[in-house]
Amino acid sequence: MVEVIFSTLGLFLFASLLEIGGGYLIWKVLRDHKGKIFGLVGALILFSYGIVMTMQPANFGKVYATYGGIFVVSSIVWGYWIDKKKPDRFEIIGSIIVLVGVAVIFYFPR
């Protein structure tokens, strides 16, 4: 079970890096008028995110519901590392709540 948890969490974290990174590049094109190559690379990275998500062992709904929580937390971490925006206490509390939800949805025995 521990191996499954680590492998699925690794896939979720890799997928979040791809989705947030790809979305960030497209954001830079549209909001900050970066070159079109940023948009193309962002689109390819987002496409790769979709492929990585299919590697999860569970069904689509369960995977994407769980990933939503991982995405929330990863986005806050991205904001801290990349945009230098320190999360406030409500973002931290919300992240903890979301991670508890992720654990319940994906990892609790049925």
Side-chain angles (χ1 to χ4, degrees):
M1 180 63 176
V2 173
E3 290 175 5
V4 171
I5 291 172
F6 282 121
S7 66
T8 56
L9 276 177
L11 284 171
F12 280 130
L13 291 173
F14 183 51
S16 72
L17 180 64
L18 292 172
E19 185 180 16
I20 295 167
Y24 186 76
L25 291 177
I26 291 173
W27 175 282
K28 297 304 265 181
V29 170
L30 298 176
R31 298 285 292 263
D32 297 339
H33 309 291
K34 295 289 183 184
K36 292 179 183 178
I37 193 74
F38 274 72
L40 178 60
V41 171
L44 291 172
I45 291 171
L46 285 169
F47 178 77
S48 299
Y49 146 77
I51 293 170
V52 168
M53 291 298 282
T54 67
M55 297 175 184
Q56 291 289 6
N59 65 59
F60 180 87
K62 186 177 189 178
V63 166
Y64 275 78
T66 303
Y67 174 69
I70 301 294
F71 179 81
V72 167
V73 175
S74 298
S75 297
I76 291 169
V77 171
W78 180 280
Y80 178 69
W81 282 342
I82 303 300
D83 289 333
K84 308 301 183 216
K85 195 267 181 208
K86 185 177 179 183
D88 64 26
R89 66 181 172 172
F90 298 107
E91 291 166 331
I92 293 169
I93 292 167
S95 294
I96 292 167
I97 292 169
V98 166
L99 288 177
V100 169
V102 162
V104 170
I105 291 169
F106 208 75
Y107 297 111
F108 272 50
R110 303 294 196 270

PDB file of all heavy atoms in Angstrom, residues 14-51:
ATOM      1  N   PHE A  14       3.772  15.355 -10.238  1.00  0.00           N
ATOM      2  CA  PHE A  14       4.309  15.610 -11.575  1.00  0.00           C
ATOM      3  C   PHE A  14       3.247  16.244 -12.466  1.00  0.00           C
ATOM      4  O   PHE A  14       3.516  17.215 -13.193  1.00  0.00           O
ATOM      5  CB  PHE A  14       4.847  14.313 -12.179  1.00  0.00           C
ATOM      6  CG  PHE A  14       5.496  14.478 -13.519  1.00  0.00           C
ATOM      7  CD1 PHE A  14       6.478  15.436 -13.724  1.00  0.00           C
ATOM      8  CD2 PHE A  14       5.144  13.666 -14.582  1.00  0.00           C
ATOM      9  CE1 PHE A  14       7.093  15.585 -14.967  1.00  0.00           C
ATOM     10  CE2 PHE A  14       5.740  13.808 -15.819  1.00  0.00           C
ATOM     11  CZ  PHE A  14       6.717  14.772 -16.021  1.00  0.00           C
ATOM     12  N   ALA A  15       2.025  15.726 -12.396  1.00  0.00           N
ATOM     13  CA  ALA A  15       0.927  16.300 -13.181  1.00  0.00           C
ATOM     14  C   ALA A  15       0.671  17.746 -12.785  1.00  0.00           C
ATOM     15  O   ALA A  15       0.427  18.595 -13.650  1.00  0.00           O
ATOM     16  CB  ALA A  15      -0.337  15.459 -13.001  1.00  0.00           C
ATOM     17  N   SER A  16       0.730  18.044 -11.499  1.00  0.00           N
ATOM     18  CA  SER A  16       0.487  19.424 -11.073  1.00  0.00           C
ATOM     19  C   SER A  16       1.583  20.351 -11.577  1.00  0.00           C
ATOM     20  O   SER A  16       1.309  21.479 -11.988  1.00  0.00           O
ATOM     21  CB  SER A  16       0.344  19.516  -9.557  1.00  0.00           C
ATOM     22  OG  SER A  16       1.575  19.332  -8.897  1.00  0.00           O
ATOM     23  N   LEU A  17       2.817  19.875 -11.588  1.00  0.00           N
ATOM     24  CA  LEU A  17       3.911  20.683 -12.130  1.00  0.00           C
ATOM     25  C   LEU A  17       3.674  20.962 -13.615  1.00  0.00           C
ATOM     26  O   LEU A  17       3.858  22.096 -14.082  1.00  0.00           O
ATOM     27  CB  LEU A  17       5.246  19.953 -11.929  1.00  0.00           C
ATOM     28  CG  LEU A  17       6.482  20.661 -12.452  1.00  0.00           C
ATOM     29  CD1 LEU A  17       6.715  21.958 -11.694  1.00  0.00           C
ATOM     30  CD2 LEU A  17       7.693  19.758 -12.328  1.00  0.00           C
ATOM     31  N   LEU A  18       3.246  19.950 -14.353  1.00  0.00           N
ATOM     32  CA  LEU A  18       2.968  20.132 -15.773  1.00  0.00           C
ATOM     33  C   LEU A  18       1.797  21.092 -15.993  1.00  0.00           C
ATOM     34  O   LEU A  18       1.887  22.005 -16.826  1.00  0.00           O
ATOM     35  CB  LEU A  18       2.664  18.784 -16.435  1.00  0.00           C
ATOM     36  CG  LEU A  18       3.830  17.807 -16.544  1.00  0.00           C
ATOM     37  CD1 LEU A  18       3.336  16.449 -17.039  1.00  0.00           C
ATOM     38  CD2 LEU A  18       4.927  18.355 -17.441  1.00  0.00           C
ATOM     39  N   GLU A  19       0.705  20.890 -15.271  1.00  0.00           N
ATOM     40  CA  GLU A  19      -0.467  21.742 -15.496  1.00  0.00           C
ATOM     41  C   GLU A  19      -0.201  23.181 -15.082  1.00  0.00           C
ATOM     42  O   GLU A  19      -0.512  24.123 -15.814  1.00  0.00           O
ATOM     43  CB  GLU A  19      -1.700  21.221 -14.761  1.00  0.00           C
ATOM     44  CG  GLU A  19      -2.911  22.058 -15.108  1.00  0.00           C
ATOM     45  CD  GLU A  19      -4.188  21.629 -14.423  1.00  0.00           C
ATOM     46  OE1 GLU A  19      -4.135  20.868 -13.450  1.00  0.00           O
ATOM     47  OE2 GLU A  19      -5.246  22.094 -14.881  1.00  0.00           O
ATOM     48  N   ILE A  20       0.373  23.370 -13.924  1.00  0.00           N
ATOM     49  CA  ILE A  20       0.630  24.729 -13.455  1.00  0.00           C
ATOM     50  C   ILE A  20       1.711  25.386 -14.317  1.00  0.00           C
ATOM     51  O   ILE A  20       1.577  26.552 -14.697  1.00  0.00           O
ATOM     52  CB  ILE A  20       1.016  24.726 -11.964  1.00  0.00           C
ATOM     53  CG1 ILE A  20      -0.166  24.235 -11.131  1.00  0.00           C
ATOM     54  CG2 ILE A  20       1.432  26.122 -11.509  1.00  0.00           C
ATOM     55  CD1 ILE A  20       0.186  23.883  -9.697  1.00  0.00           C
ATOM     56  N   GLY A  21       2.755  24.646 -14.646  1.00  0.00           N
ATOM     57  CA  GLY A  21       3.815  25.202 -15.492  1.00  0.00           C
ATOM     58  C   GLY A  21       3.313  25.571 -16.875  1.00  0.00           C
ATOM     59  O   GLY A  21       3.608  26.654 -17.387  1.00  0.00           O
ATOM     60  N   GLY A  22       2.541  24.689 -17.492  1.00  0.00           N
ATOM     61  CA  GLY A  22       1.976  24.982 -18.812  1.00  0.00           C
ATOM     62  C   GLY A  22       1.011  26.149 -18.770  1.00  0.00           C
ATOM     63  O   GLY A  22       1.048  27.053 -19.616  1.00  0.00           O
ATOM     64  N   GLY A  23       0.157  26.149 -17.769  1.00  0.00           N
ATOM     65  CA  GLY A  23      -0.780  27.258 -17.613  1.00  0.00           C
ATOM     66  C   GLY A  23      -0.066  28.572 -17.341  1.00  0.00           C
ATOM     67  O   GLY A  23      -0.465  29.631 -17.837  1.00  0.00           O
ATOM     68  N   TYR A  24       1.010  28.508 -16.586  1.00  0.00           N
ATOM     69  CA  TYR A  24       1.790  29.706 -16.275  1.00  0.00           C
ATOM     70  C   TYR A  24       2.405  30.304 -17.545  1.00  0.00           C
ATOM     71  O   TYR A  24       2.389  31.522 -17.737  1.00  0.00           O
ATOM     72  CB  TYR A  24       2.881  29.356 -15.266  1.00  0.00           C
ATOM     73  CG  TYR A  24       3.666  30.531 -14.753  1.00  0.00           C
ATOM     74  CD1 TYR A  24       3.122  31.400 -13.814  1.00  0.00           C
ATOM     75  CD2 TYR A  24       4.963  30.775 -15.198  1.00  0.00           C
ATOM     76  CE1 TYR A  24       3.849  32.478 -13.322  1.00  0.00           C
ATOM     77  CE2 TYR A  24       5.689  31.846 -14.717  1.00  0.00           C
ATOM     78  CZ  TYR A  24       5.127  32.694 -13.781  1.00  0.00           C
ATOM     79  OH  TYR A  24       5.855  33.754 -13.304  1.00  0.00           O
ATOM     80  N   LEU A  25       2.914  29.445 -18.425  1.00  0.00           N
ATOM     81  CA  LEU A  25       3.487  29.947 -19.675  1.00  0.00           C
ATOM     82  C   LEU A  25       2.424  30.611 -20.542  1.00  0.00           C
ATOM     83  O   LEU A  25       2.663  31.675 -21.134  1.00  0.00           O
ATOM     84  CB  LEU A  25       4.178  28.825 -20.440  1.00  0.00           C
ATOM     85  CG  LEU A  25       5.462  28.288 -19.803  1.00  0.00           C
ATOM     86  CD1 LEU A  25       6.007  27.116 -20.615  1.00  0.00           C
ATOM     87  CD2 LEU A  25       6.508  29.381 -19.665  1.00  0.00           C
ATOM     88  N   ILE A  26       1.250  30.012 -20.612  1.00  0.00           N
ATOM     89  CA  ILE A  26       0.160  30.632 -21.379  1.00  0.00           C
ATOM     90  C   ILE A  26      -0.268  31.937 -20.714  1.00  0.00           C
ATOM     91  O   ILE A  26      -0.534  32.936 -21.385  1.00  0.00           O
ATOM     92  CB  ILE A  26      -1.001  29.635 -21.552  1.00  0.00           C
ATOM     93  CG1 ILE A  26      -0.541  28.514 -22.484  1.00  0.00           C
ATOM     94  CG2 ILE A  26      -2.252  30.334 -22.088  1.00  0.00           C
ATOM     95  CD1 ILE A  26      -1.486  27.367 -22.634  1.00  0.00           C
ATOM     96  N   TRP A  27      -0.314  31.966 -19.397  1.00  0.00           N
ATOM     97  CA  TRP A  27      -0.607  33.181 -18.641  1.00  0.00           C
ATOM     98  C   TRP A  27       0.378  34.288 -19.040  1.00  0.00           C
ATOM     99  O   TRP A  27      -0.009  35.436 -19.262  1.00  0.00           O
ATOM    100  CB  TRP A  27      -0.512  32.867 -17.154  1.00  0.00           C
ATOM    101  CG  TRP A  27      -0.670  34.019 -16.216  1.00  0.00           C
ATOM    102  CD1 TRP A  27       0.258  34.967 -15.904  1.00  0.00           C
ATOM    103  CD2 TRP A  27      -1.825  34.334 -15.440  1.00  0.00           C
ATOM    104  NE1 TRP A  27      -0.238  35.845 -14.988  1.00  0.00           N
ATOM    105  CE2 TRP A  27      -1.525  35.484 -14.680  1.00  0.00           C
ATOM    106  CE3 TRP A  27      -3.080  33.754 -15.313  1.00  0.00           C
ATOM    107  CZ2 TRP A  27      -2.422  36.070 -13.814  1.00  0.00           C
ATOM    108  CZ3 TRP A  27      -3.971  34.337 -14.438  1.00  0.00           C
ATOM    109  CH2 TRP A  27      -3.653  35.480 -13.708  1.00  0.00           C
ATOM    110  N   LYS A  28       1.671  33.920 -19.101  1.00  0.00           N
ATOM    111  CA  LYS A  28       2.699  34.908 -19.445  1.00  0.00           C
ATOM    112  C   LYS A  28       2.484  35.473 -20.854  1.00  0.00           C
ATOM    113  O   LYS A  28       2.707  36.655 -21.098  1.00  0.00           O
ATOM    114  CB  LYS A  28       4.105  34.308 -19.331  1.00  0.00           C
ATOM    115  CG  LYS A  28       4.490  33.865 -17.930  1.00  0.00           C
ATOM    116  CD  LYS A  28       4.375  34.985 -16.928  1.00  0.00           C
ATOM    117  CE  LYS A  28       5.681  35.679 -16.710  1.00  0.00           C
ATOM    118  NZ  LYS A  28       5.597  36.765 -15.724  1.00  0.00           N
ATOM    119  N   VAL A  29       2.045  34.630 -21.781  1.00  0.00           N
ATOM    120  CA  VAL A  29       1.785  35.091 -23.146  1.00  0.00           C
ATOM    121  C   VAL A  29       0.615  36.074 -23.159  1.00  0.00           C
ATOM    122  O   VAL A  29       0.707  37.163 -23.740  1.00  0.00           O
ATOM    123  CB  VAL A  29       1.490  33.906 -24.097  1.00  0.00           C
ATOM    124  CG1 VAL A  29       0.972  34.386 -25.441  1.00  0.00           C
ATOM    125  CG2 VAL A  29       2.730  33.054 -24.271  1.00  0.00           C
ATOM    126  N   LEU A  30      -0.471  35.700 -22.517  1.00  0.00           N
ATOM    127  CA  LEU A  30      -1.681  36.507 -22.593  1.00  0.00           C
ATOM    128  C   LEU A  30      -1.666  37.721 -21.668  1.00  0.00           C
ATOM    129  O   LEU A  30      -2.227  38.764 -22.011  1.00  0.00           O
ATOM    130  CB  LEU A  30      -2.912  35.639 -22.290  1.00  0.00           C
ATOM    131  CG  LEU A  30      -3.143  34.493 -23.279  1.00  0.00           C
ATOM    132  CD1 LEU A  30      -4.311  33.642 -22.838  1.00  0.00           C
ATOM    133  CD2 LEU A  30      -3.346  35.017 -24.689  1.00  0.00           C
ATOM    134  N   ARG A  31      -1.044  37.600 -20.507  1.00  0.00           N
ATOM    135  CA  ARG A  31      -1.066  38.700 -19.541  1.00  0.00           C
ATOM    136  C   ARG A  31       0.160  39.592 -19.618  1.00  0.00           C
ATOM    137  O   ARG A  31       0.074  40.783 -19.358  1.00  0.00           O
ATOM    138  CB  ARG A  31      -1.188  38.147 -18.121  1.00  0.00           C
ATOM    139  CG  ARG A  31      -2.453  37.357 -17.838  1.00  0.00           C
ATOM    140  CD  ARG A  31      -3.691  38.213 -17.663  1.00  0.00           C
ATOM    141  NE  ARG A  31      -3.704  39.034 -16.492  1.00  0.00           N
ATOM    142  CZ  ARG A  31      -4.293  38.765 -15.344  1.00  0.00           C
ATOM    143  NH1 ARG A  31      -4.942  37.627 -15.207  1.00  0.00           N
ATOM    144  NH2 ARG A  31      -4.247  39.611 -14.354  1.00  0.00           N
ATOM    145  N   ASP A  32       1.310  38.989 -19.931  1.00  0.00           N
ATOM    146  CA  ASP A  32       2.566  39.741 -19.922  1.00  0.00           C
ATOM    147  C   ASP A  32       3.172  39.889 -21.318  1.00  0.00           C
ATOM    148  O   ASP A  32       4.306  40.335 -21.457  1.00  0.00           O
ATOM    149  CB  ASP A  32       3.580  39.070 -18.984  1.00  0.00           C
ATOM    150  CG  ASP A  32       3.118  39.067 -17.532  1.00  0.00           C
ATOM    151  OD1 ASP A  32       2.251  39.888 -17.174  1.00  0.00           O
ATOM    152  OD2 ASP A  32       3.629  38.237 -16.758  1.00  0.00           O
ATOM    153  N   HIS A  33       2.418  39.452 -22.338  1.00  0.00           N
ATOM    154  CA  HIS A  33       2.809  39.625 -23.741  1.00  0.00           C
ATOM    155  C   HIS A  33       4.173  39.009 -24.063  1.00  0.00           C
ATOM    156  O   HIS A  33       4.967  39.585 -24.789  1.00  0.00           O
ATOM    157  CB  HIS A  33       2.757  41.105 -24.133  1.00  0.00           C
ATOM    158  CG  HIS A  33       1.453  41.748 -23.778  1.00  0.00           C
ATOM    159  ND1 HIS A  33       0.278  41.428 -24.428  1.00  0.00           N
ATOM    160  CD2 HIS A  33       1.142  42.648 -22.816  1.00  0.00           C
ATOM    161  CE1 HIS A  33      -0.714  42.122 -23.891  1.00  0.00           C
ATOM    162  NE2 HIS A  33      -0.214  42.874 -22.909  1.00  0.00           N
ATOM    163  N   LYS A  34       4.416  37.835 -23.504  1.00  0.00           N
ATOM    164  CA  LYS A  34       5.633  37.091 -23.848  1.00  0.00           C
ATOM    165  C   LYS A  34       5.465  36.528 -25.260  1.00  0.00           C
ATOM    166  O   LYS A  34       4.371  36.497 -25.809  1.00  0.00           O
ATOM    167  CB  LYS A  34       5.882  35.962 -22.849  1.00  0.00           C
ATOM    168  CG  LYS A  34       6.177  36.451 -21.450  1.00  0.00           C
ATOM    169  CD  LYS A  34       7.532  37.087 -21.385  1.00  0.00           C
ATOM    170  CE  LYS A  34       7.861  37.516 -19.970  1.00  0.00           C
ATOM    171  NZ  LYS A  34       9.127  38.208 -19.873  1.00  0.00           N
ATOM    172  N   GLY A  35       6.541  36.030 -25.821  1.00  0.00           N
ATOM    173  CA  GLY A  35       6.513  35.509 -27.181  1.00  0.00           C
ATOM    174  C   GLY A  35       5.591  34.311 -27.348  1.00  0.00           C
ATOM    175  O   GLY A  35       5.287  33.592 -26.396  1.00  0.00           O
ATOM    176  N   LYS A  36       5.165  34.098 -28.576  1.00  0.00           N
ATOM    177  CA  LYS A  36       4.247  33.006 -28.896  1.00  0.00           C
ATOM    178  C   LYS A  36       4.839  31.636 -28.580  1.00  0.00           C
ATOM    179  O   LYS A  36       4.109  30.689 -28.331  1.00  0.00           O
ATOM    180  CB  LYS A  36       3.832  33.074 -30.355  1.00  0.00           C
ATOM    181  CG  LYS A  36       2.974  34.270 -30.653  1.00  0.00           C
ATOM    182  CD  LYS A  36       2.604  34.334 -32.110  1.00  0.00           C
ATOM    183  CE  LYS A  36       1.806  35.610 -32.373  1.00  0.00           C
ATOM    184  NZ  LYS A  36       1.455  35.752 -33.779  1.00  0.00           N
ATOM    185  N   ILE A  37       6.156  31.550 -28.586  1.00  0.00           N
ATOM    186  CA  ILE A  37       6.806  30.268 -28.280  1.00  0.00           C
ATOM    187  C   ILE A  37       6.456  29.831 -26.859  1.00  0.00           C
ATOM    188  O   ILE A  37       6.294  28.642 -26.601  1.00  0.00           O
ATOM    189  CB  ILE A  37       8.331  30.325 -28.518  1.00  0.00           C
ATOM    190  CG1 ILE A  37       8.930  28.916 -28.515  1.00  0.00           C
ATOM    191  CG2 ILE A  37       9.027  31.183 -27.496  1.00  0.00           C
ATOM    192  CD1 ILE A  37       8.628  28.128 -29.732  1.00  0.00           C
ATOM    193  N   PHE A  38       6.307  30.787 -25.948  1.00  0.00           N
ATOM    194  CA  PHE A  38       5.884  30.466 -24.585  1.00  0.00           C
ATOM    195  C   PHE A  38       4.520  29.769 -24.616  1.00  0.00           C
ATOM    196  O   PHE A  38       4.290  28.801 -23.909  1.00  0.00           O
ATOM    197  CB  PHE A  38       5.777  31.738 -23.729  1.00  0.00           C
ATOM    198  CG  PHE A  38       7.050  32.173 -23.090  1.00  0.00           C
ATOM    199  CD1 PHE A  38       8.068  32.732 -23.847  1.00  0.00           C
ATOM    200  CD2 PHE A  38       7.239  32.061 -21.723  1.00  0.00           C
ATOM    201  CE1 PHE A  38       9.241  33.149 -23.270  1.00  0.00           C
ATOM    202  CE2 PHE A  38       8.406  32.475 -21.119  1.00  0.00           C
ATOM    203  CZ  PHE A  38       9.420  33.022 -21.898  1.00  0.00           C
ATOM    204  N   GLY A  39       3.622  30.288 -25.430  1.00  0.00           N
ATOM    205  CA  GLY A  39       2.286  29.696 -25.540  1.00  0.00           C
ATOM    206  C   GLY A  39       2.316  28.305 -26.123  1.00  0.00           C
ATOM    207  O   GLY A  39       1.618  27.405 -25.657  1.00  0.00           O
ATOM    208  N   LEU A  40       3.128  28.112 -27.151  1.00  0.00           N
ATOM    209  CA  LEU A  40       3.243  26.794 -27.769  1.00  0.00           C
ATOM    210  C   LEU A  40       3.835  25.783 -26.794  1.00  0.00           C
ATOM    211  O   LEU A  40       3.313  24.677 -26.638  1.00  0.00           O
ATOM    212  CB  LEU A  40       4.113  26.873 -29.029  1.00  0.00           C
ATOM    213  CG  LEU A  40       4.343  25.551 -29.752  1.00  0.00           C
ATOM    214  CD1 LEU A  40       3.022  24.949 -30.211  1.00  0.00           C
ATOM    215  CD2 LEU A  40       5.288  25.758 -30.921  1.00  0.00           C
ATOM    216  N   VAL A  41       4.902  26.171 -26.107  1.00  0.00           N
ATOM    217  CA  VAL A  41       5.506  25.277 -25.117  1.00  0.00           C
ATOM    218  C   VAL A  41       4.506  24.997 -23.996  1.00  0.00           C
ATOM    219  O   VAL A  41       4.357  23.853 -23.552  1.00  0.00           O
ATOM    220  CB  VAL A  41       6.825  25.870 -24.569  1.00  0.00           C
ATOM    221  CG1 VAL A  41       7.338  25.066 -23.395  1.00  0.00           C
ATOM    222  CG2 VAL A  41       7.873  25.950 -25.670  1.00  0.00           C
ATOM    223  N   GLY A  42       3.786  26.030 -23.547  1.00  0.00           N
ATOM    224  CA  GLY A  42       2.765  25.849 -22.514  1.00  0.00           C
ATOM    225  C   GLY A  42       1.690  24.866 -22.940  1.00  0.00           C
ATOM    226  O   GLY A  42       1.273  24.004 -22.166  1.00  0.00           O
ATOM    227  N   ALA A  43       1.243  24.974 -24.191  1.00  0.00           N
ATOM    228  CA  ALA A  43       0.216  24.058 -24.701  1.00  0.00           C
ATOM    229  C   ALA A  43       0.727  22.620 -24.739  1.00  0.00           C
ATOM    230  O   ALA A  43      -0.003  21.683 -24.377  1.00  0.00           O
ATOM    231  CB  ALA A  43      -0.239  24.510 -26.087  1.00  0.00           C
ATOM    232  N   LEU A  44       1.968  22.427 -25.153  1.00  0.00           N
ATOM    233  CA  LEU A  44       2.542  21.077 -25.186  1.00  0.00           C
ATOM    234  C   LEU A  44       2.693  20.500 -23.783  1.00  0.00           C
ATOM    235  O   LEU A  44       2.450  19.306 -23.565  1.00  0.00           O
ATOM    236  CB  LEU A  44       3.891  21.091 -25.902  1.00  0.00           C
ATOM    237  CG  LEU A  44       3.832  21.368 -27.406  1.00  0.00           C
ATOM    238  CD1 LEU A  44       5.238  21.554 -27.980  1.00  0.00           C
ATOM    239  CD2 LEU A  44       3.098  20.253 -28.127  1.00  0.00           C
ATOM    240  N   ILE A  45       3.071  21.353 -22.856  1.00  0.00           N
ATOM    241  CA  ILE A  45       3.192  20.895 -21.463  1.00  0.00           C
ATOM    242  C   ILE A  45       1.812  20.516 -20.912  1.00  0.00           C
ATOM    243  O   ILE A  45       1.668  19.493 -20.242  1.00  0.00           O
ATOM    244  CB  ILE A  45       3.874  21.968 -20.599  1.00  0.00           C
ATOM    245  CG1 ILE A  45       5.338  22.104 -21.004  1.00  0.00           C
ATOM    246  CG2 ILE A  45       3.756  21.641 -19.118  1.00  0.00           C
ATOM    247  CD1 ILE A  45       6.059  23.278 -20.374  1.00  0.00           C
ATOM    248  N   LEU A  46       0.796  21.321 -21.226  1.00  0.00           N
ATOM    249  CA  LEU A  46      -0.563  20.992 -20.774  1.00  0.00           C
ATOM    250  C   LEU A  46      -1.052  19.687 -21.389  1.00  0.00           C
ATOM    251  O   LEU A  46      -1.715  18.885 -20.722  1.00  0.00           O
ATOM    252  CB  LEU A  46      -1.526  22.133 -21.098  1.00  0.00           C
ATOM    253  CG  LEU A  46      -1.407  23.353 -20.202  1.00  0.00           C
ATOM    254  CD1 LEU A  46      -2.215  24.514 -20.776  1.00  0.00           C
ATOM    255  CD2 LEU A  46      -1.854  23.035 -18.790  1.00  0.00           C
ATOM    256  N   PHE A  47      -0.721  19.451 -22.636  1.00  0.00           N
ATOM    257  CA  PHE A  47      -1.067  18.186 -23.286  1.00  0.00           C
ATOM    258  C   PHE A  47      -0.401  17.017 -22.547  1.00  0.00           C
ATOM    259  O   PHE A  47      -1.021  15.981 -22.297  1.00  0.00           O
ATOM    260  CB  PHE A  47      -0.655  18.213 -24.760  1.00  0.00           C
ATOM    261  CG  PHE A  47      -0.937  16.941 -25.493  1.00  0.00           C
ATOM    262  CD1 PHE A  47      -2.229  16.633 -25.901  1.00  0.00           C
ATOM    263  CD2 PHE A  47       0.083  16.045 -25.781  1.00  0.00           C
ATOM    264  CE1 PHE A  47      -2.498  15.447 -26.569  1.00  0.00           C
ATOM    265  CE2 PHE A  47      -0.179  14.860 -26.437  1.00  0.00           C
ATOM    266  CZ  PHE A  47      -1.473  14.559 -26.845  1.00  0.00           C
ATOM    267  N   SER A  48       0.864  17.215 -22.171  1.00  0.00           N
ATOM    268  CA  SER A  48       1.597  16.178 -21.439  1.00  0.00           C
ATOM    269  C   SER A  48       0.944  15.886 -20.090  1.00  0.00           C
ATOM    270  O   SER A  48       0.899  14.735 -19.649  1.00  0.00           O
ATOM    271  CB  SER A  48       3.050  16.618 -21.209  1.00  0.00           C
ATOM    272  OG  SER A  48       3.690  16.816 -22.432  1.00  0.00           O
ATOM    273  N   TYR A  49       0.434  16.927 -19.450  1.00  0.00           N
ATOM    274  CA  TYR A  49      -0.288  16.751 -18.187  1.00  0.00           C
ATOM    275  C   TYR A  49      -1.441  15.762 -18.380  1.00  0.00           C
ATOM    276  O   TYR A  49      -1.655  14.866 -17.555  1.00  0.00           O
ATOM    277  CB  TYR A  49      -0.786  18.115 -17.683  1.00  0.00           C
ATOM    278  CG  TYR A  49      -2.089  18.070 -16.958  1.00  0.00           C
ATOM    279  CD1 TYR A  49      -2.171  17.631 -15.648  1.00  0.00           C
ATOM    280  CD2 TYR A  49      -3.266  18.472 -17.588  1.00  0.00           C
ATOM    281  CE1 TYR A  49      -3.376  17.583 -14.982  1.00  0.00           C
ATOM    282  CE2 TYR A  49      -4.473  18.436 -16.931  1.00  0.00           C
ATOM    283  CZ  TYR A  49      -4.528  17.995 -15.630  1.00  0.00           C
ATOM    284  OH  TYR A  49      -5.726  17.948 -14.979  1.00  0.00           O
ATOM    285  N   GLY A  50      -2.190  15.917 -19.451  1.00  0.00           N
ATOM    286  CA  GLY A  50      -3.319  15.024 -19.709  1.00  0.00           C
ATOM    287  C   GLY A  50      -2.886  13.578 -19.866  1.00  0.00           C
ATOM    288  O   GLY A  50      -3.584  12.655 -19.426  1.00  0.00           O
ATOM    289  N   ILE A  51      -1.741  13.368 -20.460  1.00  0.00           N
ATOM    290  CA  ILE A  51      -1.215  12.013 -20.623  1.00  0.00           C
ATOM    291  C   ILE A  51      -0.809  11.423 -19.276  1.00  0.00           C
ATOM    292  O   ILE A  51      -1.126  10.283 -18.955  1.00  0.00           O
ATOM    293  CB  ILE A  51      -0.033  12.015 -21.613  1.00  0.00           C
ATOM    294  CG1 ILE A  51      -0.537  12.361 -23.010  1.00  0.00           C
ATOM    295  CG2 ILE A  51       0.689  10.665 -21.595  1.00  0.00           C
ATOM    296  CD1 ILE A  51       0.553  12.626 -24.019  1.00  0.00           C
TER     297      ILE A  51
END
